[in-house]
Amino acid sequence: MSRYVVSKVFLGITALAIVASAAGAGEKGAGSAAGRVASQSPLIIAHRGDSKVAPENTLPAFASAVQAGADLVELDYLHSSDGVPVVFHDGKLDRTTDACRLWGGTEIPLESKTLAELRQLDAGTWFDSQFAGTRIPTLEEALGTIQNGSMTLIERKQGDPETCVKLLTEKQLLDQVVVQAFDWEFLAGCHKLAPNLVLGTLGGKELTTEKLDDIATTGAGVVGWHDKDTDAATIAAIHDRGWKAWVWTVDDPDRAVELVRAGADGIITNRPAAIRQAVEAALAPK
Ligand code: G3P
Ligand code: CA
């Protein structure tokens, strides 16, 4: 994969040295999460996979995001009732599966079902009939698809640090993924177990000094902040602490360009191909 190295000049001007690089995903030595996060070029991160093209948080969405050249591919996970990390966004199964039709009732919690039960569900038809029969993947399966060409940004929605770190250790992926969460205590727990695991703190609203001080206790090197609460000062405050600033979820190309010009290091988007095109066009030398 060809990637861009962009040198940023602030005060409203972004200058650009675009060079082809051999830092493609999956290449030995270029595949470390620390290396990718340190990139000087803005990272394009596919939110829940290529989720405008295929059903969110499924293997087809992840494969499409890898194909689209996403620098990282974000997913969400929770635990099944028998303790298996499974890839899914909502706490309830209703929106993106046929659980209600199959089992009756509404507001069915994912965590009330075993992996075997979750495997019965269709997680594709709600999006488009061409994805009928698509299953909820385990975190392990999703990692297998994404790491084969990109890098996983794992968002933990529910589950303990021990299970997460154990899985990544067994898969020998501790240094090849980024783990993020809104629950900063979870991240601190991961950091204690695996000090080299690259972590991202998620949040929104005003980024106060108190929040920055809390983030500093987690061991995170990335701060992922809500788009509507992010401006150049937010990004500068993150950079002042020595961290990378990622913004979620940005689907408007003009806004993505504005954020990158303000210094954002990563754009988390449902439209990775369109956002990459816009950012690269805006940063290309005139
Ligand atoms: O990557 C951050 C973003 O995914 C957080 O929001 O609700 O889409 O998981 P949500
Ligand atoms: Ca997420």
Side-chain angles (χ1 to χ4, degrees):
M1 184 197 327
S2 176
R3 299 182 69 223
Y4 289 89
V5 175
V6 179
S7 56
K8 295 174 188 170
V9 176
F10 291 99
L11 299 174
I13 305 163
T14 303
L16 335 247
I18 297 182
V19 294
S21 127
E27 292 170 31
K28 203 160 177 64
S32 84
R36 183 133 326 169
V37 166
S39 167
Q40 290 302 298
S41 56
L43 298 169
I44 306 300
I45 304 166
H47 182 242
R48 308 183 194 174
D50 201 357
S51 55
K52 293 279 189 204
V53 170
E56 65 181 53
N57 281 322
T58 65
L59 297 185
F62 300 143
S64 180
V66 172
Q67 187 69 27
D71 294 305
L72 291 107
V73 180
E74 194 252 12
L75 59 75
D76 307 282
Y77 83 89
L78 307 93
H79 283 193
S80 64
S81 67
D82 47 346
V84 182
V86 293
V87 176
F88 204 76
H89 179 269
D90 301 356
K92 307 284 167 54
L93 292 163
D94 305 30
R95 181 177 64 88
T96 61
T97 76
D98 59 348
C100 299
R101 186 189 61 75
L102 199 65
W103 297 324
T106 58
E107 301 205 354
I108 304 168
L110 179 143
E111 64 185 358
S112 69
K113 300 294 179 185
T114 64
L115 176 62
E117 289 171 320
L118 294 171
R119 289 297 210 186
Q120 298 168 21
L121 298 175
D122 178 340
T125 297
W126 71 275
F127 183 83
D128 190 293
S129 58
Q130 70 173 295
F131 296 102
T134 301
R135 301 299 171 199
I136 296 174
T138 62
L139 178 55
E140 186 174 349
E141 288 169 334
L143 289 167
T145 296
I146 298 168
Q147 295 298 124
N148 185 23
S150 186
M151 183 172 287
T152 315
L153 172 58
I154 300 170
E155 185 185 342
R156 172 271 194 183
K157 289 294 188 196
Q158 181 249 326
D160 55 284
E162 289 76 12
T163 303
C164 181
V165 169
K166 181 168 177 283
L167 174 63
L168 295 176
T169 304
E170 286 169 358
K171 303 301 292 181
Q172 299 188 300
L173 288 173
L174 269 181
D175 63 344
Q176 291 168 51
V177 299
V178 180
V179 174
Q180 65 174 7
F182 287 99
D183 178 349
W184 299 351
E185 280 181 27
F186 165 84
L187 296 174
C190 288
H191 184 63
K192 209 168 164 191
L193 294 168
N196 294 328
L197 180 58
V198 179
L199 300 171
T201 45
L202 287 170
K205 301 190 177 159
E206 189 186 353
L207 182 51
T208 60
T209 301
E210 192 183 2
K211 286 181 189 171
L212 290 163
D213 290 346
D214 283 349
I215 291 168
T217 68
T218 65
V222 176
V223 178
W225 218 248
H226 197 308
D227 178 25
K228 74 176 173 55
D229 303 313
T230 301
D231 59 17
T234 316
I235 293 167
I238 294 167
H239 286 169
D240 280 351
R241 299 281 184 133
W243 306 319
K244 294 291 186 178
W246 293 358
V247 187
W248 54 276
T249 301
V250 184
D251 289 343
D252 175 9
D254 292 342
R255 175 62 175 156
V257 168
E258 181 181 40
L259 285 163
V260 166
R261 286 190 165 134
D265 305 292
I267 301 293
I268 300 174
T269 177
N270 296 304
R271 304 176 62 202
I275 296 299
R276 178 179 292 289
Q277 191 179 36
V279 168
E280 289 182 352
L283 298 185
K286 300 288 185 263

